[in-house]
Amino acid sequence: MGKKLLTEHFGVQGIQQLQVYKQHGGYASLEKALKKTPDEIVNEVMTSGLRGRGGAGFPTGRKWSFIDKKSGKPRYLVCNADESEPGTFKDRYLMEVNPHLLIEGMIISSFALGAHLSYIYIRGELLYVYHILEKAIAEAYEAGYLGKNILGTGYDLELYCHPGGGAYICGEETALIESLEGKRGNPRIKPPFPAISGLYNNPTVVNNVESIATVPAIIAMGGEEYAKIGIGHSKGTKLISACGHIKKPGIYEIELGLPVEEFIYSDEYCGGIRGGRKLKAVVAGGSSVPILPAELILKTEKGEPRLMSYESLSDGGFTSGTMLGSGGFIVMDETTSIVKNLFNFTRFYHHESCGQCSPCREGTAWMEKILHRILHGHGTLKDVDLLWTLQKNIDGKTICPLGDAAAWPVASAIRHFRSEFEDFVQHPEKHLDVKHYFNQIEKKELA
Amino acid sequence: MPKVTIDGKTIEVPQGTTILQAARMIGAEVTPPAMCYYTSLKTSGGYCRTCIVKVSKMSEANPNPIPKPVASCRTNVEEGMEVLNYTSPEIVEARKGVVEFLLANHPLDCPICDQAGECHLQDLSYDHGSDDTRYEFERRKFKKIDLGPFIQLHMTRCILCYRCVKVADQLTDERVHGVLNRGEVSEISTYITKAIENDFSGNMIDVCPVGALTDKTFRFKSRVWFTNPVSAHRDCKKCCGKVTLWYKGDEVLRVTGRKDKWGEVEEFICNECRFEKKQTLDWEIEGPTAIDRHSVISANHYEKIVEPSLFKLNDIKPFED
Ligand SMILES: Cc1cc2nc3c(=O)[nH]c(=O)nc-3n(C[C@H](O)[C@H](O)[C@H](O)COP(=O)(O)O)c2cc1C
Ligand code: SF4
Ligand code: SF4
Ligand code: FES
């Protein structure tokens, strides 16, 4: 069994209550942290090798060290709890089951950054989790962990939970900041980066829920100890939300470096493919990352076993690799239609594009229309090539990474499953929905 | 002052100059097209992506290239920076892609559009686009909307450059103009189609690169290339009073701000000058306006007045935030 730092107390009855959380060692890290200097905490996190769990995997300690402390402007910490990526549902679970872990992490991280006002920006649809957090925050205020003069140290912190309006794009950090400011959630053009000019044009750090919730564990065990877990530049444990055609979908905390094969097939984790079917493909890090066929997800192109780590999953670049991303692990068995799945993803990105920049606004809509046409049996081979050029024309040419996130699934699906697309457009009757199919037969027979 | 090299041409520019501005200082031959950036509108640019270039060397201090293309209108030059625009086949190809995206949902109704002949999207597609379209789906359509007595919005043609939104934000005092919805169905709108009543609202027409915002007092009076531009001024309490009058015969058909070589208004004008002063007597005439733009608009006006090459480049100043 791997180490459990985040999910250790998930089974404890009433862990959502401060009292119970404390009985299990809660807020001890906070007390320990408040005895250190903020810089010591930043160093601790830097030593731990923790990388952002929101998708990009940027080292958290480094991000913290960039925050502008010289200008004397107020600094903010914003927790990104907008989790809306298809296939990713780990933050929701973490906040729902153990809200105080996040709150404790928020207080320590805010203290490290010198922030006196911090926010948790939570996805609008998760209103019930918002209420759980609100309750926990109220308890923390009551206990003197929040507010003025925290635990008599002279440190003040106000923490607010703010529900979003239900837009995936508000998970992009600058769109999130705009939204938090009460504006339309459009990503900003960078630079300037939030560390210099973020919320209300002040230095701001935006971190994922899981990144922040890991901080108490790092303080408890020390950065050096934390860095012993994992492999290479992938330190510590990571929550993986596994879904799709597996026997045991759910949230798993893994030590980074776990072989993918073990994760999919062992009874401790996914338990293998449902119904004894064969594995076809995996989207390893949330819908945005490239899809990989079974042979490439289990082994790298060089034939080495693929591991659940930042480096191993991206081994081979986009030609034969993918990304750890946010940890949304979507497993597809041999019955899955890659074309239909791609349509689903593309429809999502079309729907969620903010529409600011032309390649993403027009491109996502166009790609969806082409896939829709293919799906209804009217596609041609030219459509497959057109999809390929369109994704290329979007990739890297947009304001925010949503454009890339829309392009990569298309690119990788065609890269690895081109023959399936070609078969779909040449013999649509084989792939169409049964009802649709019978309608067509009827028409043929009538004719 | 940092030195930057664009397509092999080097220039020294003030700190804080963007790549686009530096390119304009060098000359049209290295300048990328810009559909959303507008020098005098703060925070404009970055949206359309037509101005993308490749930074092959970031700076003297950091000689690495920037892996992705950057929006030249929103990227400042640094000492020793090297930029590829027309000399990068990758950029030329990528820009073709951007033009295709901008045209994907455009109605291509130039024959019945007032902007035809002075439309930046027309120029853009001639210069940087492909000959035909690969878009085979129904294009989005919107109903025409009257924004008060003078301006008509025809969203169907809009390329969502946000320039008019910036005008509304920055020139008019009460913001009633913005973007509704998101993604491909975003639309420019006024709050519950509230009429825009403001002395400077007419500038939206001038900044609009396409025929989405048009002058209701001029609509369908004439094709622009049949009108003759004349520079004129008057004493105006509200604005600079420096305009271009567009004549057909003896009649002033419309009044606009004066545009520079890059199609940007030199100084914004008020609605009184634009919509209410349409008599020659209202104005001090300065003389014919030469248009240094190889668009249809510059055809047929006058026998060559000034060779475009004798034109001095505009005095471009980096803008301060
Ligand atoms: C379209 C889009 C959506 C995103 N959604 C989320 C999200 O829901 N949660 C999240 O933590 N990060 C999300 N991100 C990444 C954030 O921009 C940011 O990188 C992250 O919150 C940084 O936190 P970390 O360093 O702790 O990972 C998204 C990025 C993009 C481009
Ligand atoms: S890439 Fe898409 S979501 Fe991001 S700013 Fe551009 S249009 Fe908006
Ligand atoms: S109406 Fe014109 S100025 Fe406004 S966003 Fe559309 S194209 Fe740009
Ligand atoms: S002009 Fe630079 S992005 Fe539009």
Side-chain angles (χ1 to χ4, degrees):
Chain A
M1 271 262 286
K3 276 218 172 51
K4 305 282 178 254
L5 304 176
L6 296 160
T7 55
E8 191 184 350
H9 302 301
F10 272 25
V12 176
Q13 193 69 30
I15 192 76
Q16 290 158 317
Q17 292 154 28
L18 189 131
Q19 210 47 41
V20 182
Y21 180 70
K22 268 187 78 172
Q23 280 161 17
H24 288 84
Y27 289 106
S29 292
L30 174 63
E31 296 193 20
K32 189 170 167 193
L34 289 176
K35 295 194 185 95
K36 297 175 182 274
T37 67
D39 283 344
E40 278 167 6
I41 301 173
V42 174
N43 278 334
E44 206 72 64
V45 173
M46 199 115 63
T47 315
S48 77
L50 173 68
R51 290 170 66 171
R53 304 298 196 218
F58 193 82
T60 306
R62 279 247 311 279
K63 189 187 252 187
W64 289 8
S65 71
F66 291 151
I67 195 165
D68 164 19
K69 289 188 168 172
K70 279 183 236 127
S71 66
K73 288 185 188 167
R75 277 159 267 158
Y76 301 109
L77 172 66
V78 179
C79 171
N80 188 342
D82 192 54
E83 189 178 60
S84 335
E85 176 123 334
T88 312
F89 45 91
K90 57 176 179 90
D91 296 342
R92 183 196 73 195
Y93 196 60
L94 199 152
M95 294 184 287
E96 186 182 336
V97 180
N98 202 350
H100 281 291
L101 185 61
L102 174 62
I103 294 168
E104 186 177 1
M106 282 299 285
I107 306 170
I108 301 172
S109 310
S110 302
F111 177 69
L113 293 165
H116 296 288
L117 184 55
S118 294
Y119 295 90
I120 300 172
Y121 183 98
I122 185 165
R123 175 177 176 184
E125 287 91 338
L126 304 183
L127 209 57
Y128 72 104
V129 184
Y130 166 76
H131 291 306
I132 293 172
L133 281 174
E134 283 281 272
K135 217 165 123 196
I137 290 174
E139 280 182 324
Y141 268 104
E142 186 91 352
Y145 295 128
L146 280 169
K148 292 249 172 294
N149 192 15
I150 293 169
L151 300 178
T153 55
Y155 174 63
D156 305 336
L157 176 67
E158 302 293 330
L159 177 63
Y160 293 98
C161 191
H162 180 91
Y168 169 61
I169 191 56
C170 290
E172 195 283 333
E173 54 187 7
T174 55
L176 184 151
I177 289 172
E178 286 279 295
S179 171
L180 200 51
E181 288 180 3
K183 300 184 200 143
R184 188 185 154 86
N186 279 357
R188 292 179 181 170
I189 293 159
K190 289 173 264 187
F193 289 93
I196 308 298
S197 177
L199 186 61
Y200 308 118
N201 294 329
N202 289 325
T204 305
V205 164
V206 181
N207 268 137
N208 173 258
V209 171
E210 190 187 339
S211 314
I212 293 172
T214 303
V215 173
I218 293 173
I219 296 302
M221 64 202 294
E224 230 164 274
E225 207 50 38
Y226 184 87
K228 287 185 186 152
I229 313 168
I231 184 166
H233 291 294
S234 306
K235 307 290 191 202
T237 64
K238 167 101 188 76
L239 293 182
I240 305 289
S241 57
C243 63
H245 304 145
I246 41 176
K247 289 209 184 107
K248 290 165 48 195
I251 316 283
Y252 298 101
E253 182 169 6
I254 60 155
E255 285 188 20
L256 288 168
L258 180 79
V260 174
E261 187 156 7
E262 186 182 339
F263 183 67
I264 298 177
Y265 290 103
S266 81
D267 284 334
E268 193 186 339
Y269 302 107
C270 304
I273 309 298
R274 211 163 51 184
R277 295 207 193 98
K278 262 184 20 212
L279 175 68
K280 179 171 184 179
V282 170
V283 176
S287 60
S288 316
V289 311
I291 189 172
L292 285 185
E295 60 280 9
L296 281 176
I297 187 71
L298 298 176
K299 286 201 168 35
T300 65
E301 209 174 13
K302 295 177 227 151
E304 290 160 4
R306 185 88 72 183
L307 310 178
M308 300 287 278
S309 73
Y310 293 96
E311 297 100 312
S312 179
L313 279 170
S314 58
D315 187 293
F318 277 6
T319 335
S320 66
T322 178
M323 283 163 77
L324 178 64
S326 56
F329 199 84
I330 310 171
V331 182
M332 303 174 192
D333 73 14
E334 54 193 332
T335 62
T336 315
S337 163
I338 301 296
V339 181
K340 287 181 193 169
N341 169 70
L342 181 63
F343 169 70
N344 202 20
F345 282 176
T346 305
R347 187 179 54 174
F348 172 79
Y349 289 110
H350 167 207
H351 187 257
E352 299 300 334
S353 162
C354 85
Q356 274 189 115
C357 50
S358 16
C360 171
R361 178 183 65 238
E362 306 297 339
T364 51
W366 192 349
M367 293 194 304
E368 187 201 326
K369 284 178 189 151
I370 295 171
L371 282 161
H372 186 265
R373 176 159 77 187
I374 294 178
L375 223 54
H376 284 77
H378 305 295
T380 61
L381 285 174
K382 253 166 66 188
D383 282 338
V384 185
D385 292 334
L386 186 54
L387 277 175
W388 181 262
T389 28
L390 290 182
Q391 65 78 18
K392 214 173 80 207
N393 288 344
I394 300 172
D395 187 8
K397 320 225 165 36
T398 56
I399 295 177
C400 88
L402 189 139
D404 305 340
W408 296 342
V410 177
S412 55
I414 298 180
R415 184 180 299 120
H416 300 300
F417 296 95
R418 186 181 261 273
S419 58
E420 193 172 327
F421 283 83
E422 292 177 349
D423 197 55
F424 206 118
V425 297
Q426 288 174 312
H427 309 287
E429 68 287 353
K430 281 182 7 204
H431 304 270
L432 294 174
D433 288 326
V434 179
K435 209 171 106 219
H436 208 96
Y437 184 39
F438 281 120
N439 279 344
Q440 288 215 333
I441 294 178
E442 258 168 47
K443 261 190 229 150
K444 262 192 213 138
E445 281 173 354
L446 286 176
Chain B
M1 295 224 300
K3 262 203 212 91
V4 54
T5 306
I6 305 173
D7 280 349
K9 298 203 167 144
T10 305
I11 192 170
E12 206 174 318
V13 293
Q15 192 76 45
T17 307
T18 60
I19 298 174
L20 178 71
Q21 289 162 325
R24 286 182 176 182
M25 291 179 206
I26 295 173
E29 70 281 10
V30 302
T31 304
M35 296 295 286
C36 66
Y37 174 78
Y38 213 80
T39 313
S40 48
L41 296 173
K42 272 192 196 168
T43 71
S44 67
Y47 303 113
C48 74
R49 316 308 280 183
T50 58
C51 71
I52 48 173
V53 293
K54 183 163 180 57
V55 176
S56 53
K57 179 180 166 193
M58 184 102 109
S59 67
E60 217 48 76
N62 174 8
N64 292 322
I66 300 182
K68 293 176 179 183
V70 301
S72 61
C73 65
R74 292 292 290 257
T75 311
N76 285 353
V77 302
E78 282 175 50
E79 176 56 38
M81 184 185 260
E82 286 174 20
V83 177
L84 305 179
N85 180 21
Y86 297 118
T87 49
S88 159
E90 188 192 322
I91 288 297
V92 172
E93 203 48 39
R95 186 170 292 134
K96 222 183 223 178
V98 175
V99 178
E100 185 176 31
F101 285 134
L102 283 176
L103 289 173
N105 264 303
H106 192 78
L108 301 174
D109 60 344
C110 313
I112 55 156
C113 174
D114 257 336
Q115 191 89 359
E118 58 177 358
C119 174
H120 286 247
L121 189 58
Q122 276 184 330
D123 294 350
L124 181 79
S125 44
Y126 286 138
D127 291 345
H128 306 282
S130 326
D131 295 342
D132 61 17
T133 174
R134 296 183 287 182
Y135 191 77
E136 295 169 327
F137 301 94
E138 203 176 323
R139 288 157 198 258
R140 58 170 173 256
K141 282 192 210 79
F142 296 88
K143 288 217 168 74
K144 294 188 191 80
I145 298 171
D146 282 325
L147 306 182
F150 300 123
I151 308 175
Q152 186 163 77
L153 168 64
H154 196 7
M155 246 320 286
T156 309
R157 297 182 186 133
C158 170
I159 59 161
L160 285 162
C161 71
Y162 279 69
R163 283 180 182 171
C164 59
V165 179
K166 311 276 170 189
V167 167
D169 261 357
Q170 293 165 28
L171 296 189
T172 66
D173 6 271
E174 214 185 319
R175 175 172 166 168
V176 289
H177 182 107
V179 178
L180 291 186
N181 300 326
R182 70 176 180 224
E184 185 218 15
V185 292
S186 313
E187 61 179 295
I188 296 295
S189 182
T190 51
Y191 184 57
I192 325 184
T193 59
K194 193 170 158 187
I196 295 178
E197 280 164 30
N198 182 285
D199 278 341
F200 283 83
S201 64
N203 292 297
M204 284 179 201
I205 302 167
D206 281 351
V207 302
C208 184
V210 295
L213 289 167
T214 47
D215 180 343
K216 275 167 71 180
T217 66
F218 173 64
R219 273 173 73 80
F220 305 130
K221 290 239 171 93
S222 169
R223 305 265 39 166
V224 290
W225 58 88
F226 295 135
T227 60
N228 290 334
V230 169
S231 303
H233 64 265
R234 64 185 273 269
D235 260 337
C236 178
K237 290 192 187 70
K238 294 181 192 150
C239 70
C240 63
K242 288 189 205 145
V243 301
T244 301
L245 305 176
W246 298 80
Y247 276 93
K248 191 168 186 181
D250 295 339
E251 211 186 332
V252 177
L253 291 191
R254 67 168 173 164
V255 183
T256 68
R258 287 188 197 172
K259 291 193 179 174
D260 65 17
K261 181 182 162 85
W262 312 107
E264 290 183 9
V265 166
E266 285 166 5
E267 271 178 275
F268 292 115
I269 60 167
C270 70
N271 284 3
E272 189 183 328
C273 287
R274 184 186 303 270
F275 299 118
E276 285 161 33
K277 302 288 170 198
K278 293 214 176 172
Q279 305 296 325
T280 302
L281 285 177
D282 294 330
W283 299 95
E284 300 271 352
I285 305 292
E286 296 168 19
T289 313
I291 296 179
D292 184 12
R293 223 178 113 194
H294 70 280
S295 185
V296 184
I297 183 109
S298 52
N300 289 333
H301 284 150
Y302 311 98
E303 291 301 309
K304 285 217 163 75
I305 311 164
V306 194
E307 282 289 340
S309 58
L310 299 180
F311 262 18
K312 268 220 245 113
L313 284 190
N314 296 289
D315 199 12
I316 300 160
K317 293 175 209 86
F319 90 24
E320 281 144 35
D321 223 0

